[in-house]
């Protein structure tokens, strides 16, 4: 596999990833920043890929640990390599499996947080990539959105939190699929002022009944096309407070 060597969090996170196919950009960094993680807490990263979300979480919160689940052996091997290269090998473990095939009681109620960056498109709406790994990362296959939520619910401790990023135009499907969760917060990511949001970060807690909240969100770019100061700070490792 041909790879590139990239950096996140202002160079503090080193990421080896495939040159072709799905490549981590800003979405996993923003998602990781939105997780209210504390030292000593455990995170499940579903469909972790090469570990971009996991690495950003562990870099930001010393003492946290992550278990990744990734079906592709080569990609999982890169995630392990990335954890080692960043000095996180003792805080990162990986399960090489399709999460929909894990036993129902696998790591049941074991995690303080579950995160995921799922395929954004349904098969009937997608223009398929000729690169298999990219197609599987972009387009729902056997694991439709609800399957990710079900696994998160099984793996979370009671009253603990699931956080994910998705397309804004799928919010109707997303909200409908969050049975078993409450305190749902939707945080829009606005490309710039007066432009519709393309992405949203959603967080929800298992087994609580607090009301739904639509947060103010984050403007990513200013009028000159540069990252806003707040977005720049988050991309360099600051937390994204969803208020």
């Amino acid at each position: 596999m041909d790879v590139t060597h990239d950096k996140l969090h202002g160079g503090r996170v080193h990421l080896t990833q495939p040159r072709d196919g799905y490549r981590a950009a800003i979405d996993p960094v923003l998602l990781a920043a939105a997780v209210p993680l504390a030292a000593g807490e455990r995170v499940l990263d579903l469909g972790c890929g090469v570990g971009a979300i996991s690495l950003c979480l562990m870099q930001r919160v010393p003492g946290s640990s992550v278990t990744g689940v990734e079906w592709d052996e080569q990609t999982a091997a890169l995630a392990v390599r990335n954890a080692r290269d960043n000095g996180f090998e003792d805080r990162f473990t990986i399960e090489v499996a399709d999460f929909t095939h894990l036993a129902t009681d696998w790591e049941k109620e074991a995690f303080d947080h579950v995160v995921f960056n799922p395929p954004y498109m349904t098969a009937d709406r997608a223009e398929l990539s000729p690169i298999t790994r990219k197609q599987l990362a972009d387009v729902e296959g056997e694991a439709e959105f609800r399957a990710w939520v079900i696994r998160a619910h099984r793996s979370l401790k009671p009253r603990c939190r699931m956080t994910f990023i998705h397309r804004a135009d799928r919010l109707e499907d997303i909200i409908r699929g969050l049975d078993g969760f409450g305190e749902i917060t939707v945080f829009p990511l606005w490309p710039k002022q007066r432009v519709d949001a393309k992405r949203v970060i959603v967080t929800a807690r298992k087994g609580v009944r607090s009301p739904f909240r639509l947060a103010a969100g984050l403007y990513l770019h200013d009028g000159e096309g540069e990252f806003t100061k707040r977005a720049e700070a988050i991309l360099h490792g600051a937390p994204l407070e969803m208020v």
Side-chain angles (χ1 to χ4, degrees):
M1 181 189 298
D2 191 16
V3 299
T4 63
H5 303 283
D6 305 297
K7 295 180 180 180
L8 307 174
H9 278 196
R12 293 191 298 277
V13 171
H14 297 265
L15 185 74
T16 300
Q17 59 181 332
R19 185 177 298 277
D20 298 317
Y22 174 79
R23 290 176 55 78
I26 68 171
D27 284 6
V29 181
L30 295 169
L31 173 55
V35 179
L37 182 62
E41 291 186 331
R42 292 187 70 199
V43 182
L44 174 61
D45 184 356
L46 288 176
C48 70
V50 300
I53 298 170
S54 300
L55 297 171
C56 290
L57 286 168
M58 291 185 288
Q59 192 279 323
R60 179 167 62 85
V61 185
S64 61
S65 62
V66 181
T67 296
V69 179
E70 171 56 46
W71 71 272
D72 182 74
E73 291 185 3
Q74 286 184 294
T75 304
L78 283 179
V80 172
R81 171 181 170 179
N82 282 326
R84 183 188 65 240
D85 290 349
N86 284 276
F88 302 146
E89 61 267 33
D90 60 339
R91 296 164 55 196
F92 180 76
T93 59
I94 196 162
E95 186 80 16
V96 183
D98 181 332
F99 74 83
T100 64
H101 297 165
L102 293 171
T104 302
D105 61 354
W106 178 85
E107 292 280 18
K108 185 176 180 180
E109 297 192 342
F111 295 94
D112 303 286
H113 299 272
V114 175
V115 297
F116 52 91
N117 181 7
Y120 290 151
M121 300 295 294
T122 56
D124 61 337
R125 295 179 59 188
E127 184 174 329
L128 298 182
S129 167
I131 302 170
T132 302
R133 284 190 179 85
K134 181 169 176 56
Q135 177 181 321
L136 291 169
D138 290 344
V139 182
E140 289 180 354
E142 180 179 343
E144 296 182 351
F145 174 72
R146 180 61 185 162
W148 298 76
V149 176
I150 290 170
R151 172 50 64 183
H153 193 274
R154 288 172 178 164
S155 298
L156 279 169
K157 299 174 183 176
R159 304 182 67 82
C160 285
R161 188 176 297 276
M162 166 182 72
T163 308
F164 60 91
I165 190 168
H166 218 299
R167 286 173 60 106
D169 62 6
R170 290 198 61 190
L171 259 179
E172 183 178 359
D173 294 339
I174 290 167
I175 300 302
R176 191 166 51 233
L178 296 182
D179 291 350
F181 287 86
E183 200 175 294
I184 299 165
T185 297
V186 173
F187 187 91
L189 298 170
W190 311 103
K192 59 183 179 180
Q193 291 190 25
R194 296 184 295 278
V195 176
D196 290 349
K198 300 293 193 297
R199 299 280 188 270
V200 289
I201 296 174
V202 180
T203 185
R205 291 176 63 204
K206 176 180 175 178
V208 302
R209 295 182 178 274
S210 304
F212 172 92
R213 186 170 69 93
L214 178 62
L218 171 70
Y219 288 107
L220 295 174
H221 299 96
D222 61 23
E224 304 299 320
E226 302 295 329
F227 283 118
T228 62
K229 289 182 179 180
R230 186 180 177 203
E232 187 75 25
I234 291 164
L235 293 174
H236 280 74
L240 191 166
E241 297 179 359
M242 295 178 58
V243 296

